[in-house]
Amino acid sequence: MIRDDSSLVLSIDNLSVGFGRGQNIEQVTSNVSLSVKKGETLALVGESGSGKSVTANSILKLLPKGSSHYLGGHIQFDNVDMLSCSERQLRGIRGGRIGMIFQEPMVSLNPLHKIGRQLVETLSIHRGMRTNQAEKHAVGWLTKVGIRNPEQKILAYPHELSGGERQRVMIAMALINEPELLIADEPTTALDVSVQAQILDLLNDLQKELGMAMLFITHDLSIVRKIADRVAVMQNGELVEVGECQQVFNEPKHPYTQKLINSDPRGCPVEVSEQTNTLLSVDDLKVWFPIKGGIFKKVIDHVKAVTGMSFDLKQGHSIGLVGESGSGKSTTGMAILKLVDSEGVIKFDGSDIQGLDRKGMLPYRSRMQVVFQDPFSALNPRMSVAQVIGEGLKVHFEHDENKMDDLICDVMKEVDLDPDTRHRYPNEFSGGQRQRIAIARALVLKPEFILLDEPTSSLDRTVQSQVLDLLKDLQQKYGLTYLFISHDLNVVKSLCHYTIVMKQGEIVEQGDTQTLFSKPQQDYTKTLVSLSSF
């Protein structure tokens, strides 16, 4: 993968960064030194809050102005000092010579503009392309990153795409100008294993073609094994180990590196009784979105998001819903929670909830909770963590302020968050910490059923392992019932008793998790299993 030309593309020397205002500046990274050569992939790993994204965002000076401070060090890109160069120089480098894939695409994409306009804009700015030429180029790149029907999707707004599709748009946007350096901050977080493999192959091919260097930030060590030449491990804002990929995996020197390597999802689902009652029953569920056209905007076709979905979920059990992005997994979950319109039968605890209106659903809302895939979009940035977690308590219960505060502190401890931080705001937390806030918000109501839509996808392996253990403990303690949507089959195998495989809105295969993963019957399931490292 590394070319003979070993010249440095990026050099970070003793970088220290702090956050705060006035005299109250807290240092978050200390003396970080990294280098990336032409054609090389350096993987930067470590748990949430370790300073990975802070280091990456410092390269293009993308940290919040006013509250962030570069306390020391230098960042050199092609003999340009990135920390002291002008804004004009930075604009010429950002998006053109250095591409960046951000962790949370819904935050990074402009919700007011269609996908095509955002892709065309970057081609116009950095390559001077005319609109027609840029649109053709954009469609080609959407095809490259595995988006189906790119001619249609280029006319869509970000909220009309699935989480995985939004992530692929971000990847296309970062690569469309063929940069010399790509900074990839969790670029495959929201992708299923089949598309993940396509994206990694695409990045590998582009490196060979362009000699592109890559700083790859991830918590998924299986990806690091596949793509990285060298690995840098961060903990608490400091580099604790740097070395060749195989050397770090085979002979890790630092105890923290050893801990990361040993934190892959493992174990079995909690033991459950088959004699429990059915809590959730879904029969012939259908979610079709109308496509309107013509002068009178008549329905001319449908997007068949979900067709013929049927299953029973018993009290205290977990069902895993797997499949590629756009297969209908999240739409199924939203239909069950009555957040999108659907047809078919949905019964919860024996009661038919399909025909209920908003008022009729209110008694069920505290019993049926959800943890969304993208924590930043799901958390109100104007509310403190205590307000976010306590919002449901205010709606469904009549607790006094002291009781509310006790419940919020207790649930924060359960998800491994410091209760003393409850008065801070979501943007002051790392991506993994924000996901734990979202989990705490669902758990505080002590629901019977939780829809978990990729709840661990943005978490590093150590925290993911803790959260999975937490979910199992809570399930065993309270008899919680989970519908678990994920692209990570290792996580599904660890948590779920039963698994449903979806493709293009329909069930491909379903059955006992252990049996389905060890003896898959359908070709699509076999492909998913072969791409996962059990």
Side-chain angles (χ1 to χ4, degrees):
M1 188 183 297
I2 304 176
R3 291 193 167 194
D4 292 336
D5 182 3
S6 60
S7 60
L8 289 181
V9 174
L10 177 72
S11 177
I12 301 175
D13 184 34
N14 290 320
L15 178 67
S16 296
V17 178
F19 288 99
R21 296 182 185 275
Q23 301 298 315
N24 301 316
I25 297 176
E26 180 183 356
Q27 187 167 332
V28 294
T29 67
S30 178
N31 299 319
V32 176
S33 295
L34 295 171
S35 63
V36 189
K37 299 174 184 177
K38 187 175 182 181
E40 178 186 45
T41 298
L42 174 68
L44 189 58
V45 301
E47 61 189 336
S48 298
S50 64
K52 307 187 303 295
S53 294
V54 169
T55 300
N57 284 316
S58 297
I59 296 168
L60 291 172
K61 292 187 73 173
L62 295 175
L63 297 176
K65 290 182 179 180
S67 62
S68 60
H69 304 272
Y70 302 99
L71 305 176
H74 300 278
I75 301 175
Q76 294 279 336
F77 171 74
D78 193 23
N79 297 320
V80 176
D81 189 335
M82 301 295 289
L83 297 183
S84 61
C85 70
S86 67
E87 278 295 320
R88 184 176 180 180
Q89 280 181 296
L90 271 176
R91 284 196 298 269
I93 293 172
R94 287 175 182 156
R97 300 183 64 193
I98 299 180
M100 187 156 187
I101 304 168
F102 295 95
Q103 184 174 352
E104 291 159 339
M106 196 59 185
V107 179
S108 305
L109 295 172
N110 191 325
L112 302 178
H113 293 163
K114 293 179 180 180
I115 296 303
R117 178 174 175 180
Q118 298 184 56
L119 289 168
V120 166
E121 183 180 30
T122 187
L123 288 168
S124 174
I125 290 171
H126 293 287
R127 300 176 70 173
M129 285 189 182
R130 294 185 176 182
T131 302
N132 289 343
Q133 183 187 8
E135 286 177 351
K136 290 179 182 178
H137 202 67
V139 168
W141 269 95
L142 291 181
T143 303
K144 268 189 177 183
V145 296
I147 288 185
R148 292 195 300 269
N149 303 318
E151 292 84 0
Q152 293 180 12
K153 295 295 170 68
I154 204 169
L155 301 174
Y157 289 93
H159 72 271
E160 296 176 307
L161 304 180
S162 70
E165 287 172 328
R166 289 194 292 265
Q167 190 69 289
R168 280 176 273 178
V169 169
M170 278 298 304
I171 292 169
M173 192 172 294
L175 295 177
I176 202 165
N177 286 309
E178 301 179 358
E180 298 158 51
L181 171 66
L182 176 67
I183 302 170
D185 191 353
E186 303 280 5
T188 56
T189 291
L191 304 182
D192 57 89
V193 288
S194 57
V195 178
Q196 185 183 93
Q198 294 171 20
I199 294 299
L200 294 179
D201 288 343
L202 171 63
L203 293 175
N204 191 26
D205 290 343
L206 281 167
Q207 280 191 300
K208 291 177 180 176
E209 180 183 340
L210 307 172
M212 182 179 70
M214 182 156 55
L215 179 61
F216 197 99
I217 301 167
T218 184
H219 63 266
D220 192 333
L221 297 183
S222 62
I223 291 178
V224 174
R225 287 179 186 268
K226 295 173 186 175
I227 199 169
D229 299 303
R230 290 188 302 124
V231 181
V233 183
M234 290 191 73
Q235 182 187 28
N236 299 327
E238 297 183 354
L239 279 177
V240 296
E241 188 163 352
V242 181
E244 298 295 321
C245 185
Q246 293 305 315
Q247 176 261 314
V248 169
F249 276 98
N250 295 336
E251 299 175 10
K253 294 182 174 59
H254 196 276
Y256 179 67
T257 310
Q258 296 168 6
K259 178 185 174 184
L260 282 180
I261 292 172
N262 293 325
S263 295
D264 282 341
R266 57 186 181 274
C268 298
V270 300
E271 291 187 13
V272 290
S273 169
E274 292 298 328
Q275 306 306 314
T276 56
N277 295 326
T278 296
L279 181 67
L280 177 68
S281 181
V282 177
D283 185 39
D284 198 25
L285 184 70
K286 184 173 83 170
V287 184
W288 287 13
F289 298 108
I291 301 173
K292 297 181 180 181
I295 299 174
F296 299 104
K297 298 295 182 183
K298 292 184 177 180
V299 176
I300 57 176
D301 203 351
H302 290 84
V303 175
K304 299 177 181 179
V306 178
T307 302
M309 170 64 71
S310 300
F311 64 87
D312 291 328
L313 177 54
K314 292 187 175 183
Q315 178 76 49
H317 289 228
S318 300
I319 286 182
L321 210 52
V322 302
E324 62 190 17
S325 297
S327 63
K329 306 187 302 295
S330 295
T331 303
T332 298
M334 295 302 101
I336 289 168
L337 292 177
K338 298 280 291 167
L339 297 177
V340 298
D341 293 333
S342 64
E343 297 178 16
V345 177
I346 305 173
K347 289 186 177 180
F348 183 80
D349 198 16
S351 300
D352 188 351
I353 64 172
Q354 178 64 285
L356 297 180
D357 58 14
R358 184 176 179 180
K359 185 177 180 180
M361 276 298 297
L362 191 60
Y364 292 93
R365 291 299 182 199
S366 63
R367 301 174 67 188
M368 304 172 73
Q369 283 293 296
V370 59
V371 177
F372 292 102
Q373 178 178 344
D374 187 345
F376 200 86
S377 300
L379 303 178
N380 190 328
R382 297 183 178 182
M383 295 171 68
S384 69
V385 168
Q387 291 171 324
V388 167
I389 296 174
E391 189 177 19
L393 292 173
K394 281 189 173 182
V395 172
H396 296 287
F397 301 100
E398 295 181 359
H399 297 309
D400 60 36
E401 291 297 321
N402 290 333
K403 177 66 173 176
M404 286 260 295
D405 196 53
D406 288 343
L407 290 170
I408 291 166
C409 290
D410 288 344
V411 78
M412 288 184 74
K413 290 176 186 175
E414 280 193 308
V415 298
D416 199 27
L417 287 171
D418 183 357
D420 291 340
T421 65
R422 65 189 182 279
H423 301 300
R424 290 164 59 183
Y425 290 83
N427 68 315
E428 299 178 70
F429 293 82
S430 69
Q433 289 168 326
R434 286 196 289 265
Q435 191 63 288
R436 279 178 274 174
I437 293 168
I439 293 171
R441 178 175 61 180
L443 292 176
V444 75
L445 295 173
K446 296 294 188 288
E448 297 161 62
F449 168 81
I450 302 181
L451 170 66
L452 299 160
D453 191 353
E454 302 276 9
T456 60
S457 64
S458 64
L459 304 181
D460 57 85
R461 285 299 192 197
T462 54
V463 179
Q464 183 183 82
S465 179
Q466 294 166 15
V467 170
L468 285 174
D469 288 342
L470 170 66
L471 291 172
K472 290 180 185 180
D473 290 344
L474 290 166
Q475 186 172 37
Q476 204 157 30
K477 186 176 181 181
Y478 299 112
L480 289 174
T481 306
Y482 299 140
L483 180 60
F484 190 88
I485 297 170
S486 181
H487 65 268
D488 190 334
L489 272 62
N490 292 290
V491 173
V492 171
K493 187 179 181 183
S494 172
L495 183 73
C496 299
H497 306 92
Y498 194 85
T499 298
I500 298 171
V501 181
M502 292 188 70
K503 185 179 182 183
Q504 297 180 12
E506 298 183 351
I507 294 176
V508 174
E509 187 170 353
Q510 59 181 313
D512 171 77
T513 298
Q514 301 298 321
T515 304
L516 188 142
F517 286 172
S518 60
K519 297 178 182 178
Q521 301 299 309
Q522 302 300 318
D523 290 341
Y524 179 67
T525 312
K526 291 176 182 177
T527 300
L528 290 182
V529 171
S530 67
L531 290 170
S532 300
S533 52
F534 293 114

